[in-house]
Amino acid sequence: MTRLNTFPLSFKVKGKRIMIVGGTDEALNKVRLVAKTTASIEIYARQVETDFSGFDVTVFERPLTAEDVAGVALVFVADEGPDGQLAMAEARRLNIPLNVVDVPGECDFYTPSIVDRAPLTVAISTEGDAPVLARLVRAQIEALLAPGLGKIAGLAGSLRHKVESLIHDGAARRRYYEDLVTSTAVEQAIEEGHGDVEAEKLLASHVENGVGQGVVWLIGAGPGAADLLTLRAQRLLQQADVIVHDQLVPAEVVEMGRRDAEQICVGKAKGHHSFSQAQINTLIVRLASEGKKVARLKSGDPMIFGRAGEEIAALRKAEIDYQIVPGVSAALAAAADTATPVTLRKVSSGLVVATAHGADDGELAHWASLAETGLTLALYMGKSIAAETAERLVALGAAADLPVGIVVNAGRPKSRSYAGNLGDLARGAVEFDDGPAVILIGRAVAYGDWVEAVARNAESFKVA
């Protein structure tokens, strides 16, 4: 096992002095780090070559003396001249921790890449070997931690004595703090200036019931590619006790949740409804009523053909807290896959999102007239009736030469595309691949990269 050559720790600097020797950009980089603390920061340089005015620091533009070093908590040296040599010698003599910029062998400590959610901090260090890697890891951690997490940490600290007086069991206290720091209701309340009130409500629930208040997150999983999941969705999946997901959500997206989270597939796919919508509503209400954090993971965006309205109504009736996390809808993924501007100046002034399944002649006539005015139609759930729908649109006034683009499995690595016109589709010229399809209809479709997409996926569709 590889052992660490450094021991990670947090160094107290409140009420103390930090010295930085040097007046160049290297010194400024150190200022950016230590300026996050409450320490008094002193900069010593015979000639200041950079701008420190944006920071709360004291600049001494003169030679350094030995007396200057006495009593400081940390010394940073970004000067190769006599001042830097003096600072290093005095730090060694006085046993003051020393960091020499870009000279790891002279350092008593290294400055890590810091994720700042004060009072919460995360420090990433590679012992000076790979600072670029440390910055990349920091960026990934930044994405996982909510911006307001530090305020929640401060709130938890302010409640410590009260929690200990009301909840005597250690495991129960841990459950309360876990609920507190992961509660979206508390996070929102903090931003609105009454986080303490929401935290007290949560505490009362734990004292009375032994569990916190449940919550349901209606999360858009996007079109299926894991890297199209939003940062907020990733954070909440990591906090969920239960993940209730649709059939179309890929396993790799579901697996982005906590390893110990319960996973329930509610299996709604065309012709295969292992759970009715009423049963899904009952399930998420029951789970949240047990105090659990429930991620209701839906393909695409929950508010677009995701039955979110029915689930929200059930949650409101049961007085269950909920939050909606938008996702990339399939129509937008189809447009991105084919570089199709579904709205385009002087061509298309808008986008109509609709489901072809179950549409009556009145709706189709409306769509036909909208398409003729220049709007782009994005039809979902119409693969099995695509030819019939196209034929009816033409019969109701839509032009047979209206450009049509079809994307199956939009947003996924194996998406497949076809381009033609409404007349081709009406004649049944397209044989679809397996997977959900989005049909784009309108003049703007002609401006997409459909020829390239079809050439790249020559076997995607069989044209009669």
Side-chain angles (χ1 to χ4, degrees):
M1 180 181 68
T2 303
R3 293 178 179 268
L4 295 172
N5 294 315
T6 59
F7 182 74
L9 52 81
S10 295
F11 195 91
K12 284 186 177 181
V13 295
K14 182 180 179 180
K16 298 182 179 181
R17 297 162 53 215
I18 293 178
M19 170 182 285
I20 299 175
V21 181
T24 62
D25 286 343
E26 286 82 2
L28 179 61
N29 289 337
K30 297 303 179 184
V31 168
R32 289 193 178 101
L33 282 174
V34 298
K36 298 175 183 293
T37 72
T38 58
S40 174
I41 302 168
E42 300 175 358
I43 298 170
Y44 293 84
R46 299 190 184 201
Q47 183 176 355
V48 176
E49 301 175 7
T50 191
D51 184 9
F52 297 105
S53 62
F55 300 92
D56 185 13
V57 298
T58 302
V59 179
F60 298 92
E61 196 167 3
R62 60 168 174 77
L64 182 74
T65 68
E67 290 74 18
D68 294 325
V69 184
V72 302
L74 299 172
V75 173
F76 292 87
V77 175
D79 184 323
E80 297 179 355
D83 290 338
Q85 296 301 317
L86 175 61
M88 291 169 61
E90 286 299 299
R92 298 281 186 228
R93 185 178 70 84
L94 298 171
N95 293 318
I96 299 171
L98 171 68
N99 177 278
V100 182
V101 175
D102 292 335
V103 189
E106 294 289 344
C107 294
D108 297 322
F109 67 94
Y110 303 113
T111 52
S113 289
I114 296 174
V115 179
D116 179 12
R117 299 290 189 274
L120 172 69
T121 57
V122 180
I124 304 101
S125 174
T126 60
E127 299 185 355
D129 288 342
V132 172
L133 177 60
R135 288 198 296 272
L136 292 174
V137 172
R138 171 196 166 192
Q140 294 180 24
I141 296 175
E142 286 273 12
L144 291 173
L145 300 182
L149 199 57
K151 295 178 181 178
I152 295 177
L155 178 60
S158 69
L159 289 169
R160 180 179 301 171
H161 295 302
K162 186 167 187 177
V163 172
E164 289 177 353
S165 68
L166 293 174
I167 304 177
H168 305 293
D169 179 67
R173 279 202 299 271
R174 283 194 297 274
R175 285 196 297 272
Y176 169 71
Y177 284 122
E178 286 175 0
D179 282 353
L180 176 68
V181 301
T182 60
S183 169
T184 53
V186 171
E187 182 180 359
Q188 182 177 346
I190 286 176
E191 295 302 319
E192 295 172 353
H194 54 86
D196 53 339
V197 176
E198 196 65 37
E200 293 277 2
K201 284 171 57 180
L202 183 62
L203 179 57
S205 176
H206 271 264
V207 172
E208 182 179 351
N209 306 314
V211 295
Q213 298 166 328
V215 62
V216 175
W217 300 313
L218 303 172
I219 300 175
D227 58 355
L228 286 179
L229 203 65
T230 66
L231 297 178
R232 184 181 300 174
Q234 291 182 49
R235 285 198 296 265
L236 294 181
L237 281 174
Q238 283 291 315
Q239 298 172 18
D241 301 309
V242 186
I243 300 174
V244 179
H245 62 93
D246 287 342
Q247 185 85 22
L248 290 175
V249 178
E252 63 176 330
V253 175
V254 179
E255 294 299 328
M256 294 179 77
R258 268 172 38 191
R259 288 189 178 183
D260 60 340
E262 181 183 2
Q263 298 178 7
I264 303 174
C265 178
V266 291
K268 287 178 69 65
K270 183 177 175 58
H272 302 282
H273 293 183
S274 59
F275 279 70
S276 69
Q277 187 59 52
Q279 288 173 321
I280 294 173
N281 297 348
T282 300
L283 174 65
I284 61 176
V285 167
R286 175 178 63 80
L287 291 170
S289 297
E290 294 170 357
K292 295 178 179 177
K293 296 184 283 291
V294 182
R296 175 67 177 101
L297 196 57
K298 297 169 174 286
S299 182
D301 183 280
M303 309 305 282
I304 300 178
F305 305 124
R307 298 288 184 91
E310 297 171 47
E311 294 174 13
I312 290 169
L315 294 169
R316 286 173 177 165
K317 184 177 180 180
E319 298 183 343
I320 299 292
D321 187 29
Y322 66 89
Q323 180 183 352
I324 299 162
V325 181
V328 177
S329 188
L332 302 182
D337 282 356
T338 57
T340 299
V342 290
T343 61
L344 185 63
R345 187 165 48 182
K346 297 183 180 181
V347 178
S348 173
S349 60
L351 172 68
V352 176
V353 177
T355 172
H357 189 71
D360 59 29
D361 280 348
E363 292 172 298
L364 289 167
H366 183 54
W367 298 347
S369 63
L370 290 174
E372 284 302 306
T373 65
L375 270 68
T376 304
L377 303 179
L379 301 183
Y380 289 60
M381 295 175 279
K383 192 165 67 172
S384 63
I385 55 170
E388 176 191 342
T389 301
E391 184 179 11
R392 292 164 67 192
L393 284 171
V394 172
L396 291 166
D401 68 346
L402 268 179
V404 170
I406 303 169
V407 182
V408 178
N409 294 316
R412 302 190 188 191
K414 295 183 179 180
S415 70
R416 297 292 181 261
S417 308
Y418 165 81
N421 60 48
L422 199 58
D424 294 335
L425 188 59
R427 290 191 296 273
V430 180
E431 183 178 324
F432 293 90
D433 278 6
D434 291 334
V438 176
I439 303 172
L440 300 176
I441 302 171
R443 297 297 174 192
V445 174
Y447 292 83
D449 289 340
W450 295 93
V451 174
E452 180 181 341
V454 173
R456 186 176 64 248
N457 304 307
E459 298 302 318
S460 301
F461 296 90
K462 297 173 184 174
V463 180

